[in-house]
Amino acid sequence: MRIALLEDDEHIANLISLWIEEEGHHCTIFPDGRKMLNALKAGSFDLLLLDWMVPEIDGEGVLLWVRENLNWRIPIVFLTMRDNEEDIVKILGLGADDYITKPIRQKEMLARITALARRANVLDTEKSASAELKYGPYTIHLKTNTVSRNDDAIKLTKKEFELVLFLFRNLGRIVSRGHMLESVWGHSQDINTRTADTHISRIRNKLGLLPENGWRISAIYHHGYRLEQIDGDEAVTH
């Protein structure tokens, strides 16, 4: 899971990042709200952790921008010293999903992150690891790492399967090329964006993810891709 942390206290930020990395996730630290917003405009994350009082643009400002501008409801957790009831009610009312007061307790924070990610379908769970995921005519068989369309098996390479799974888990959401490369190829791999573009083209053709079939993979300029299901009327016009 790709997590963005807004925290201007370097010691706290590094400690939280360490806890997150030890859980097997990737954490990117932003010391001020403006830097985080610039990153959100160019990239994508699975979950945001926001401190309230930070330089440039505060956590509340970041929250409002995210809810007004991102095309999907990314989970957001506030981590802050402000613990009075009015503040908690306000920030939850503005669209935060959870609120944790400082000092942060490691196990509690990680449990809340896991619960939110599970509800948002951005985290594999024990149940889903042994199940099948269905999206219209497509079935993703997680036990065998295979995909079928109307019960007909589709031959995919290992990376093509992982990319299909990543895109369907993020159905309707814009995902950056960097997010895609990190999730499918691993952030330590020296892979260029042309590799992702080539794999996108292959799975589009193999799965028939085309407007005439009610599906579309759109390239978003300077950002990444979005897989979406389109209605019948829109499909006819393409």
Side-chain angles (χ1 to χ4, degrees):
M1 186 162 57
R2 203 168 191 241
I3 297 174
L5 170 62
L6 177 62
E7 174 59 69
D8 62 331
D9 185 306
E10 184 176 358
H11 173 72
I12 294 175
N14 288 337
L15 182 60
I16 292 174
S17 178
L18 176 63
W19 292 344
I20 290 170
E21 299 276 354
E22 286 178 344
E23 284 293 296
H25 309 305
H26 179 69
C27 182
T28 302
I29 299 170
F30 298 95
D32 67 67
R34 191 174 302 279
K35 286 185 173 64
M36 174 173 271
L37 288 187
N38 288 337
L40 289 170
K41 291 172 184 177
S44 55
F45 296 89
D46 295 309
L47 186 142
L48 305 182
L49 298 175
L50 306 181
D51 187 19
W52 200 322
M53 304 303 295
V54 293
E56 299 290 338
I57 300 172
D58 65 11
E60 182 179 331
V62 172
L63 170 65
L64 291 172
W65 184 91
V66 167
R67 292 298 182 237
E68 290 173 1
N69 292 277
L70 293 192
N71 72 314
W72 74 292
R73 192 173 176 84
I74 184 171
I76 296 178
V77 181
F78 261 70
L79 310 174
T80 178
M81 294 289 292
R82 299 172 66 165
D83 61 355
N84 68 71
E85 185 178 20
E86 289 184 358
D87 284 334
I88 296 173
V89 170
K90 175 184 179 181
I91 214 67
L92 293 175
L94 290 176
D97 297 285
D98 206 346
Y99 192 106
I100 303 175
T101 57
K102 295 179 179 178
I104 305 300
R105 293 178 292 190
Q106 179 181 3
K107 292 182 180 179
E108 177 189 359
M109 184 197 73
L110 294 174
R112 289 177 182 271
I113 288 174
T114 299
L116 272 177
R118 186 184 301 117
R119 290 200 294 271
N121 197 32
V122 295
L123 188 68
D124 290 334
T125 64
E126 184 178 345
K127 181 178 179 181
S128 67
S130 61
E132 296 177 340
L133 303 178
K134 293 185 179 293
Y135 302 90
Y138 301 101
T139 303
I140 301 176
H141 309 273
L142 295 171
K143 277 188 172 180
T144 57
N145 290 352
T146 57
V147 178
S148 59
R149 178 184 177 193
N150 294 323
D151 297 326
D152 293 327
I154 301 170
K155 187 175 181 180
L156 299 172
T157 67
K158 182 176 183 294
K159 288 303 178 189
E160 287 170 351
F161 170 81
E162 292 174 0
L163 182 55
V164 168
L165 178 60
F166 174 79
L167 289 173
F168 274 104
R169 284 195 181 280
N170 291 283
L171 185 64
R173 170 190 174 194
I174 298 174
V175 290
S176 66
R177 285 178 173 82
H179 193 170
M180 184 186 305
L181 290 170
E182 180 181 297
S183 298
V184 176
W185 282 270
H187 43 267
S188 63
Q189 296 290 332
D190 184 19
I191 301 293
N192 61 48
T193 57
R194 289 298 301 167
T195 298
D197 297 339
T198 299
H199 279 71
I200 287 286
S201 178
R202 288 175 182 169
I203 66 170
R204 178 190 283 118
N205 294 328
K206 288 186 177 184
L207 272 69
L209 295 169
L210 304 168
E212 55 265 34
N213 296 329
W215 296 85
R216 179 169 58 213
I217 302 180
S218 303
I220 310 301
Y221 186 63
H222 281 332
H223 197 98
Y225 286 97
R226 175 170 57 201
L227 171 64
E228 55 190 333
Q229 191 168 12
I230 55 181
D231 60 36
D233 291 338
E234 187 177 0
V236 169
T237 64
H238 286 77

